[in-house]
Amino acid sequence: IIVVAGAMAAYPLARKASRKNQIILTFIVGVMMVPQLSILVPLYKEMVTLKGINKLWGIVIVSATFHLPMAIYMYSNFIRSIPKELDEAAMIDGCSPLQVYFKILIPILKPTIISTAILELMWVWNDYLLPTLVLDIKKYKTIPMAIQYFRGSYGHVQMGPMMASIMIDIIPIIVVYLVCQKYIIEGVVAGAVKG
């Protein structure tokens, strides 16, 4: 949700230079500066009102809401570096705005999409605070929540199960990074050349 919605929201914000779009992007940057801890109580009350507590869709919506501004910001900065002449040339050749987006822009955005996906995956995968707030601990447990249970009372730590859980937590992120490493390097090189 974060990767797809972020790219789709960033495209019109970055391509149409207007005062309204600049205000929206400034608001998005402002939202990124608000710490999660400062809005936990209102968030919890809102989730209780919407009956999203202890539901999987509740944590999906909350995570997407918290992480979407960063994705939009990353995409919009990269889209601004792509010349608008590509869009105009594609439209002269008969492409609709949707075709320009999917056939021209998305292939160019591939390194940024991969980089954003890995960053968001790491942040959501390792999030401890929001799942603890929104999910029922007895019914649902994320891996960081399960790791915390190996810390007993009075300083007793079950090191064997805790280290095994940490390895289970780390391995998927490492595999995703190794598979996508080529695209990440392309994204960094493209950003360095264009910057």
Side-chain angles (χ1 to χ4, degrees):
I1 292 173
I2 297 166
V3 172
V4 173
M8 294 180 102
Y11 178 62
L13 290 174
R15 278 300 188 216
K16 294 180 183 173
S18 69
R19 182 156 172 77
K20 180 179 76 170
N21 286 351
Q22 191 60 39
I23 290 170
I24 292 171
L25 281 172
T26 304
F27 177 74
I28 287 171
V29 171
V31 168
M32 287 171 34
M33 291 184 217
V34 175
Q36 290 180 357
L37 288 173
S38 66
I39 59 170
L40 284 183
V41 173
L43 175 68
Y44 183 79
K45 288 181 180 179
E46 195 64 34
M47 291 300 289
V48 168
T49 304
L50 295 173
K51 295 182 176 45
I53 295 292
N54 303 330
K55 304 246 183 348
L56 288 178
W57 66 264
I59 190 67
V60 169
I61 290 174
V62 168
S63 291
T65 303
F66 274 113
H67 296 287
L68 199 56
M70 181 66 176
I72 292 171
Y73 181 70
M74 288 176 66
Y75 285 129
S76 64
N77 283 338
F78 188 80
I79 291 171
R80 281 188 195 149
S81 68
I82 300 170
K84 290 183 181 177
E85 287 80 16
L86 285 174
D87 295 1
E88 294 167 0
M91 289 189 149
I92 289 172
D93 288 341
C95 287
S96 68
L98 277 176
Q99 289 175 324
V100 169
Y101 177 76
F102 286 108
K103 291 184 178 179
I104 306 295
L105 191 70
I106 291 296
I108 295 171
L109 274 178
K110 189 189 286 184
T112 306
I113 290 171
I114 301 279
S115 299
T116 303
I118 288 177
L119 281 173
E120 298 298 339
L121 177 68
M122 284 190 319
W123 288 332
V124 171
W125 184 264
N126 291 321
D127 195 3
Y128 176 77
L129 185 62
L130 289 177
T132 305
L133 178 74
V134 176
L135 296 176
D136 181 12
I137 296 172
K138 295 174 185 169
K139 192 173 182 184
Y140 302 107
K141 283 187 187 119
T142 62
I143 294 176
M145 291 166 69
I147 290 171
Q148 194 64 22
Y149 278 97
F150 293 118
R151 298 189 62 160
S153 57
Y154 304 111
H156 177 70
V157 178
Q158 299 174 13
M159 285 304 246
M162 182 182 260
M163 290 301 147
S165 298
I166 291 172
M167 286 304 296
I168 290 171
D169 188 29
I170 292 172
I171 287 173
I173 300 295
I174 291 173
V175 168
V176 168
Y177 178 78
L178 291 175
V179 169
C180 301
Q181 183 178 9
K182 178 179 83 168
Y183 299 109
I184 294 170
I185 292 170
E186 283 177 16
V188 169
V189 170
V193 169
K194 291 177 183 175

